Amino acid sequence: MDISQSWDTFTNCELYAGRETPEYLDRFYGHNRNWNLILLHSGKVELSINGKMFPIEPGDLLLLPPAVPRLFSVLEYWDVSWVHFNLDAHLQYTPEWQTNEAGVMHIHLPDKEIARFEKLFAEMYELCLIRNLGWYRLGYCLIQEIILRGNMINQKGLDPEHLAFASGVLADFSSMKIEEIAGKCGLSRAAFFKKFKETFGVTPNIYREQLRLNKVREELEQSSRSVKEIAAELQFKSEFYLSARFKKMFGMSPTAYRKTFHSGE
């Protein structure tokens, strides 16, 4: 097992890197304060973390949160590169990767991208091993590049399955929070917002509100129910809040809209 490591006392910046080919059935990893980047080159592994277990395949790039015990079960001889680092130390941009139920961010790299990421991990290991002047700054630049390139790979609109699920939940006026919908789609809240906006042109909150306001409009046209009753059914904070949002979207209050609509009949 090849490991390089160092602690820079001037910047309080901790950085470890390695590449290994363990032959044990089980490997336990845990770190009190560092994030872990892992790239599986070959083999078959299962990761158990936060009571959840999922497989890791060659080409998988993982970002594991700190202070969370994890157990790697090696099912086949594996070859893995890894980096331990401080996410807040020198990184300006944060990851926007898919997040599973265990809180692990992950990306399955396209075949054409694997060699690029393997080169970044190899350069990281070499930097940590040689530790020439300024090595840790360049090391964190490489980590930033890994994260940003991961963001680029992940920045596509919602896939059809998650698109149908998210739009369906929002259209049903469910009380499910946006964070819960994002989790069901395997995304962080920030990544879900970005993907949703790329797909629909608006944020999930605006999309949900527009659907509700259109439903309000239908109720005003087709029923004699009061604005207060409509607000309660469609989960607006109050009739006054509904009226303010309705006026912003349609240019008039609900009462004025109902009067104008029926005056034309």
Side-chain angles (χ1 to χ4, degrees):
M1 177 175 64
D2 292 327
I3 299 176
S4 62
Q5 56 186 318
S6 185
W7 170 269
D8 186 77
T9 57
F10 295 101
T11 63
N12 204 37
C13 166
E14 193 169 11
L15 191 58
Y16 300 75
R19 180 162 181 170
E20 54 186 295
T21 53
E23 300 177 2
Y24 310 103
L25 268 183
D26 290 326
R27 296 278 299 193
F28 181 82
Y29 287 81
H31 207 283
N32 292 331
R33 58 191 168 207
N34 280 356
W35 288 76
N36 301 165
L37 269 170
I38 293 177
L39 175 61
L40 184 63
H41 304 287
S42 63
K44 185 182 293 185
V45 184
E46 283 187 344
L47 170 61
S48 178
I49 183 170
N50 285 331
K52 306 289 183 179
M53 181 175 289
F54 60 94
I56 308 174
E57 300 177 352
D60 280 352
L61 179 64
L62 281 70
L63 180 57
L64 307 181
V68 180
R70 69 290 308 260
L71 179 67
F72 291 90
S73 298
V74 181
L75 306 180
E76 287 181 4
Y77 179 88
W78 68 329
D79 182 6
V80 61
S81 290
W82 53 266
V83 180
H84 298 323
F85 66 100
N86 184 341
L87 184 64
D88 301 320
H90 293 292
L91 301 184
Q92 182 177 0
Y93 303 101
T94 55
E96 298 175 359
W97 302 3
Q98 293 187 20
T99 306
N100 63 23
E101 295 179 355
V104 175
M105 299 184 191
H106 62 97
I107 294 173
H108 185 73
L109 299 175
D111 291 342
K112 64 180 181 179
E113 294 288 342
I114 290 177
R116 184 198 304 273
F117 280 82
E118 287 181 339
K119 183 177 180 180
L120 289 170
F121 273 84
E123 188 173 357
M124 173 68 67
Y125 167 72
E126 184 178 0
L127 280 173
C128 293
L129 184 66
I130 298 174
R131 288 182 284 169
N132 287 333
L133 181 65
W135 68 273
Y136 54 87
R137 293 189 180 93
L138 182 53
Y140 274 92
C141 286
L142 292 174
I143 292 172
Q144 184 71 89
E145 182 175 353
I146 290 171
I147 289 174
L148 286 175
R149 289 193 177 278
N151 289 354
M152 290 175 63
I153 293 172
N154 197 46
Q155 293 315 308
K156 300 177 181 178
L158 291 170
D159 61 66
E161 179 182 353
H162 292 148
L163 174 65
F165 169 76
S167 59
V169 170
L170 295 172
D172 287 340
F173 310 121
S174 167
S175 60
M176 184 180 294
K177 296 180 179 179
I178 300 299
E179 291 81 359
E180 295 178 78
I181 300 174
K184 295 290 185 181
C185 293
L187 298 170
S188 67
R189 188 178 188 277
F192 176 73
F193 261 72
K194 189 165 187 177
K195 284 177 173 288
F196 193 95
K197 189 172 183 179
E198 288 173 350
T199 304
F200 289 98
V202 295
T203 66
N205 288 331
I206 293 176
Y207 181 85
R208 172 182 267 167
E209 182 176 86
Q210 289 178 345
L211 290 175
R212 288 177 174 173
L213 289 172
N214 276 308
K215 181 64 176 176
V216 170
R217 179 177 55 81
E218 292 177 7
E219 288 286 340
L220 294 170
E221 294 173 358
Q222 300 171 12
S223 78
S224 59
R225 302 170 69 191
S226 69
V227 175
K228 184 176 182 179
E229 290 174 321
I230 297 172
E233 180 182 348
L234 297 180
Q235 303 174 20
F236 283 91
K237 297 176 183 178
S238 68
E239 61 182 298
F240 306 106
Y241 180 77
L242 184 157
S243 296
R245 303 307 296 170
F246 189 93
K247 185 173 184 179
K248 184 174 182 179
M249 182 169 177
F250 294 105
M252 62 181 72
S253 69
T255 302
Y257 180 88
R258 173 177 272 165
K259 184 177 180 179
T260 301
F261 177 81
H262 288 292
S263 66
E265 293 181 345

